[in-house]
């Protein structure tokens, strides 16, 4: 893995107010989803609020999947993170809020978000269990990096296979985006 960057000090007061006043509120809509769009294994169900659909799955005029308020604020969070780690992007290839929970399984499916070269951002939005770690793997399937979730911490990394452990109690809420 060539790229791994982390930041804890990038959210503005407005970013935090949006997360706590919109995304973490009970009325923020989440929908059932699968670990990968082409895998319909029910054991890997989680909840998601898609902000921007995957570029490979939708025509350009159908990429946004949420209201402008959510998109603008989410984009601001992502751009603040990228600026804080001195990382440039051309465009986002997917953006969503993912909520995972104890679904009876220890960990998510090992996966890579796209079949083409990309980079990934994960921003932890709540105080989930410390055991709900994110694990990145090398090409031989060995864990090369483990990240313990910490509220308002962001990470970015190359397009490596990865998985996370489901929390035993409570939710794990993240903002996830991929970019080129």
């Amino acid at each position: 893995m060539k790229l791994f960057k982390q930041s804890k000090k990038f959210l503005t007061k407005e970013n935090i107010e949006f997360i706590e006043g919109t995304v973490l509120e009970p009325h923020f809509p989440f929908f059932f989803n699968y670990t990968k769009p082409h895998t319909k294994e029910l054991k890997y169900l989680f909840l998601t609020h898609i902000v921007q659909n995957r570029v490979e799955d939708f025509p350009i005029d159908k990429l946004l999947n949420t209201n402008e308020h959510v998109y603008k604020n989410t984009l601001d969070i992502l751009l603040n993170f990228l600026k804080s780690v001195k990382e440039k992007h051309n465009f986002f290839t997917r953006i969503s809020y993912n909520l995972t929970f104890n679904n009876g399984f220890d960990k998510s499916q090992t996966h890579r978000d796209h079949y083409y070269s990309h980079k990934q951002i994960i921003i932890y939005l709540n105080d989930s269990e410390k055991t709900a770690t994110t694990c990145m793997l090398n090409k031989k399937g060995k864990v090369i990096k483990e990240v313990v979730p910490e509220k308002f911490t962001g990470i970015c990394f190359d397009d490596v296979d990865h998985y996370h452990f489901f929390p035993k109690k409570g939710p794990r809420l993240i903002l996830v985006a991929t970019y080129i």
Side-chain angles (χ1 to χ4, degrees):
M1 183 167 61
K2 296 176 194 169
L3 172 71
F4 179 85
K5 295 181 180 181
Q6 182 171 338
S7 181
K8 296 180 182 187
K9 303 279 186 191
F10 62 92
L11 294 172
T12 65
K13 179 181 169 200
E14 292 79 15
N15 293 156
I16 293 170
E17 286 173 358
F18 169 73
I19 292 165
E20 291 180 341
T22 301
V23 179
L24 296 178
E25 284 296 310
H27 57 79
F28 191 72
F30 284 92
F31 303 91
F32 277 112
N33 208 330
Y34 305 97
T35 302
K36 291 183 182 180
H38 60 276
T39 303
K40 294 188 178 178
E41 295 183 53
L42 295 180
K43 67 182 180 181
Y44 296 115
L45 279 175
F46 63 100
L47 299 173
T48 187
H49 179 101
I50 297 172
V51 176
Q52 178 187 310
N53 287 309
R54 294 169 179 270
V55 296
E56 63 268 27
D57 293 341
F58 291 88
I60 193 103
D61 62 330
K62 302 280 191 236
L63 286 182
L64 290 187
N65 196 43
T66 194
N67 68 48
E68 187 175 337
H69 171 72
V70 171
Y71 178 75
K72 269 181 68 178
N73 283 284
T74 302
L75 190 60
D76 191 54
I77 292 167
L78 292 169
L79 294 176
N80 287 340
F81 171 74
L82 288 171
K83 183 178 179 184
S84 77
V85 295
K86 297 177 176 56
E87 183 70 17
K88 295 185 189 295
H89 82 292
N90 290 317
F91 60 90
F92 290 102
T93 53
R94 164 185 184 256
I95 304 170
S96 71
Y97 291 95
N98 289 354
L99 190 151
T100 58
F101 46 87
N102 183 344
N103 62 6
F105 292 87
D106 289 333
K107 63 180 185 146
S108 70
Q109 181 179 21
T110 299
H111 65 284
R112 190 174 297 208
D113 281 36
H114 305 282
Y115 292 115
Y116 50 82
S117 180
H118 64 281
K119 296 175 184 175
Q120 182 152 345
I121 298 169
I122 296 176
I123 299 173
Y124 299 95
L125 301 179
N126 71 329
D127 286 318
S128 62
E129 285 187 333
K130 300 300 179 198
T131 57
T133 58
T134 303
C135 299
M136 287 146 251
L137 312 174
N138 65 15
K139 292 181 189 221
K140 295 181 181 180
K142 183 180 180 212
V143 174
I144 53 174
K145 183 76 176 171
E146 290 185 37
V147 179
V148 175
E150 187 178 332
K151 185 175 183 178
F152 298 154
T153 297
I155 61 173
C156 68
F157 54 93
D158 291 319
D159 61 342
V160 297
D161 285 346
H162 59 282
Y163 62 84
H164 75 277
F165 287 94
F166 295 113
K168 300 294 182 214
K169 294 181 182 176
R172 172 186 178 264
L173 182 61
I174 63 170
L175 169 58
V176 62
T178 54
Y179 65 100
I180 295 176

